[in-house]
Amino acid sequence: MSKIEAGNKVMIGKLTDLPDKVGKEVIVGDQSIAVFRLASGKVRAVENKCPHKNGPLSQGIVAGEHVFCPLHDWKVCLDDGLVQKPDIGCVKTFETVIDGDAVFLLVD
């Protein structure tokens, strides 16, 4: 991982480093971020911590636009970070940018 720009745009690797529907943990500063390449080809990034019991979402099962927490199966939307009912809560989301084969995260 390397910072390419002062501020908040961080290169996290190549698109080919992200297997379909398998999460990858990326550490940026003091933040653990779960990055997913969906079957649709979209790349999504969320805080790597389920709001329920802090389960590592990067180890969860991906289905469509959602990831299931590996600890208690809470379903989290990868588009907006919202936990799906009947559970409640949300995780922080991060914008991703793909430039050629490079994947970038926009972080605070």
Side-chain angles (χ1 to χ4, degrees):
M1 168 179 5
S2 62
K3 267 191 178 172
I4 61 156
E5 197 172 280
N8 59 8
K9 187 176 178 183
V10 179
M11 181 179 176
I12 60 167
K14 295 181 178 181
L15 190 57
T16 53
D17 295 337
L18 298 173
D20 287 347
K21 303 190 306 183
V22 176
K24 177 180 179 180
E25 180 184 24
V26 175
I27 305 294
V28 179
D30 62 351
Q31 299 182 85
S32 174
I33 300 171
V35 181
F36 302 91
R37 181 176 176 185
L38 307 180
S40 65
K42 297 176 187 174
V43 175
R44 295 290 185 256
V46 298
E47 177 182 12
N48 190 24
K49 186 169 59 174
C50 178
H52 177 226
K53 297 276 186 177
N54 298 331
L57 294 177
S58 62
Q59 296 176 25
I61 295 174
V62 174
E65 305 284 327
H66 298 87
V67 63
F68 290 84
C69 176
L71 296 184
H72 299 98
D73 213 28
W74 279 32
K75 185 178 181 183
V76 177
C77 179
L78 293 170
D79 282 332
D80 58 18
L82 291 175
V83 172
Q84 304 300 290
K85 292 181 179 180
D87 303 309
I88 58 171
C90 66
V91 296
K92 185 176 181 178
T93 60
F94 298 88
E95 186 175 342
T96 60
V97 176
I98 299 171
D99 185 5
D101 191 36
V103 180
F104 299 89
L105 283 179
L106 302 181
V107 294
D108 298 334

